[in-house]
Amino acid sequence: MEYDVVIIGAGLAGMTTGLLLTEKGYRVLILESKPFVGGRTSSWNEDGMQVESGFHRVIGYYKHYPKILKKAGIDLNKIVMWEEVMDFRSPRNGEVTTFGMAPVHGPLKLLHGMFGNTDTISYKDRLSLAPFFINGFKDYVKHPDQLDRISVKEYAQKYKVSNNAYHLVLIPLTAGVFFLPPERFSAYALFGLLAPTLTHFYKMRMGAFLGGMSDLVANPMAEAITSKGGEILTNQKATQLIYEDGAVRGVVTEEREYRATQTVLATEIGAAKKLIAQSSIKHECFKNLLELPAVPAVTIQFELNQPTMPYDRTTFGAGTSLASFTEQSRTTFTHVPGRLSCILAPAQKFIDMNSEDILNIVLEDAKKLGLQLEGHILDYRVVKHPDEFYSLEPGHDWMRPEQDTPIKGFTLAGDYTKTSNFATMESAVESGEIAAKIVDEELTKP
Ligand SMILES: Cc1cc2nc3c(=O)[nH]c(=O)nc-3n(C[C@H](O)[C@H](O)[C@H](O)COP(=O)(O)OP(=O)(O)OC[C@H]3O[C@@H](n4cnc5c(N)ncnc54)[C@H](O)[C@@H]3O)c2cc1C
């Protein structure tokens, strides 16, 4: 059977594209290499322990993500617990500084964060951040290209951010949000990530999932697609694009070939680069994508015999390998007495390290942050993502490819493709919406 559309990859981008196109009545097939759908937003049982790709937060200003969930019959407010504050823990005796982030949903907590915590971060340190942020937001709008050529560290030096503010706020922020230190983090990407918090300040807060992401989102999305007539096949790794007479006409997997009028490549960046590089399409439009570096992410997840923190709350571990972490035993994984999920930085340091060595480093750093893990660990897993993020280092954002390609029958989707967002669930969904629109236009052309 020939399909209207074959989509490679059942992550958020691929499933968004698939859902929107099945709704339009097209014959859609999604091929996924793993045994389950969801990609980087999935959860699974790994040798007896429930794990996830890494802990995720929905940001209150997201609009594409809630919209696609609604289409799949999922009410975002019912699957997340909203947080109005976040903590920064310092390796100096595990001091905790709490910052409010929700002017409308938690105004008192915001004011307390702004005017309290003076022992850890003085007013002078806070004031030193003002020119950095004010000019950063201005440059983000007026000089995006220039801003993308400079790192957060260089920008902080330019605006004389104090040493304390740099270590307590900027290092945890860049490492915690995208696993990169300030010297490797594009100032454009940082202000781009933060800009919607200004324009949509009234929506600001963060949502922690109330269960595994596969149960809450990925599987219900897949069911919505199949209930509308779409097909999803797991354990189907695409190995080749079928490229004939200047057009992509489907996909070859390890088992067989699937022909379609339109093909959407919706894998993560590493796999997309591999598939394009080994295909016979040789077109200069892919030059930037092939040169856009992919970077890893590494997480460690613990089951514990008691909670490590009094709240399930997003926390940044200033200057340690625990870039960001959260207790999850009251939200995402309630079946165990204690559950801690940590995102590690720099990811490059950990990607080839064995789990035991990673554990030892994390235990040392956890101690510095005042987290009592030793003697309480029931089980732990390290989850690695080798080449799944495009690099947010300076000078790379312009290399993100558009979803539309000049190759007939061939569209891209994925969080690395050009959207108004940066490597998040929101950008994955936005890319899927754009891809679906392109494919629909192609299929309805006379
Ligand atoms: C640790 C971690 C923490 C994160 N935290 C947040 C957060 O707090 N908030 C946020 O918004 N985002 C967060 N993200 C980012 C978010 O998960 C991703 O941006 C988003 O899920 C990407 O979706 P995608 O569909 O573009 O890619 P993916 O989810 O990677 O989907 C690609 C799919 O393609 C499949 N595939 C690959 N190769 C093939 C092949 N050859 N054939 C068939 N299938 C193939 C893969 O198995 C995968 O299922 C986080 C990610 C990680 C890893």
Side-chain angles (χ1 to χ4, degrees), residues 124-329:
K124 204 171 155 208
D125 290 325
R126 278 169 226 220
L127 274 179
S128 82
L129 286 166
F132 170 83
F133 280 111
I134 293 167
N135 287 293
F137 288 125
K138 259 201 269 171
D139 285 344
Y140 175 70
V141 177
K142 290 192 172 163
H143 311 290
D145 292 346
Q146 284 172 26
L147 199 60
D148 191 37
R149 274 187 238 125
I150 170 166
S151 73
V152 170
K153 182 176 183 179
E154 289 163 330
Y155 206 72
Q157 282 166 344
K158 182 172 172 188
Y159 288 104
K160 302 194 172 25
V161 171
S162 77
N163 208 22
N164 209 25
Y166 181 74
H167 281 90
L168 281 172
V169 178
L170 297 187
I171 293 183
L173 207 59
T174 55
V177 177
F178 268 111
F179 340 119
L180 285 171
E183 60 272 23
R184 290 182 52 208
F185 204 117
S186 156
Y188 173 74
L190 180 72
F191 289 108
L193 279 159
L194 297 177
T197 65
L198 283 188
T199 49
H200 294 77
F201 66 92
Y202 53 95
K203 290 191 164 175
M204 259 317 285
R205 49 187 179 160
M206 293 199 293
F209 286 98
L210 293 167
M213 285 181 289
S214 285
D215 300 330
L216 297 179
V217 179
N219 293 340
M221 266 184 98
E223 278 156 30
I225 294 167
T226 48
S227 71
K228 290 178 167 62
E231 236 182 285
I232 302 178
L233 299 177
T234 50
N235 292 312
Q236 289 289 322
K237 182 172 179 178
T239 52
Q240 275 293 335
L241 299 166
I242 302 172
Y243 184 57
E244 292 167 354
D245 308 325
V248 173
R249 301 190 187 277
V251 179
V252 180
T253 69
E254 281 162 343
E255 289 174 15
R256 51 166 286 195
E257 68 172 48
Y258 296 92
R259 290 196 163 254
T261 316
Q262 294 285 323
T263 300
V264 180
L265 179 53
T267 66
E268 69 278 8
I269 183 169
K273 283 170 62 167
K274 243 179 250 161
L275 266 171
I276 290 174
Q278 71 198 28
S279 77
S280 49
I281 314 171
K282 301 287 171 240
H283 197 287
E284 63 169 26
C285 68
F286 299 119
K287 184 172 176 289
N288 291 336
L289 167 59
L290 294 174
E291 285 174 6
L292 176 58
V295 295
V298 179
T299 83
I300 187 164
Q301 303 170 34
F302 294 96
E303 285 189 353
L304 303 149
N305 63 7
Q306 62 175 40
T308 28
M309 293 195 281
Y311 315 100
D312 287 19
R313 182 180 287 173
T314 310
T315 308
F316 296 91
T320 69
S321 58
L322 282 83
S324 57
F325 51 95
T326 180
E327 172 69 42
Q328 296 178 304
S329 57

Side-chain angles (χ1 to χ4, degrees), residues 8-14 31-34 38-41 53-57 62 179 236-238 266-268 271 275 297 299 343 385 389 414-415 423-426 428:
I8 311 168
L12 268 176
L31 299 170
E32 168 56 49
S33 58
K34 292 203 179 120
R40 272 169 284 165
T41 50
S53 49
F55 82 88
H56 276 62
R57 291 295 181 260
Y62 283 0
F179 340 119
Q236 289 289 322
K237 182 172 179 178
T267 66
E268 69 278 8
L275 266 171
T299 83
I343 296 177
H385 303 273
F389 286 91
D415 64 348
T424 54
M425 298 188 282
E426 181 73 344

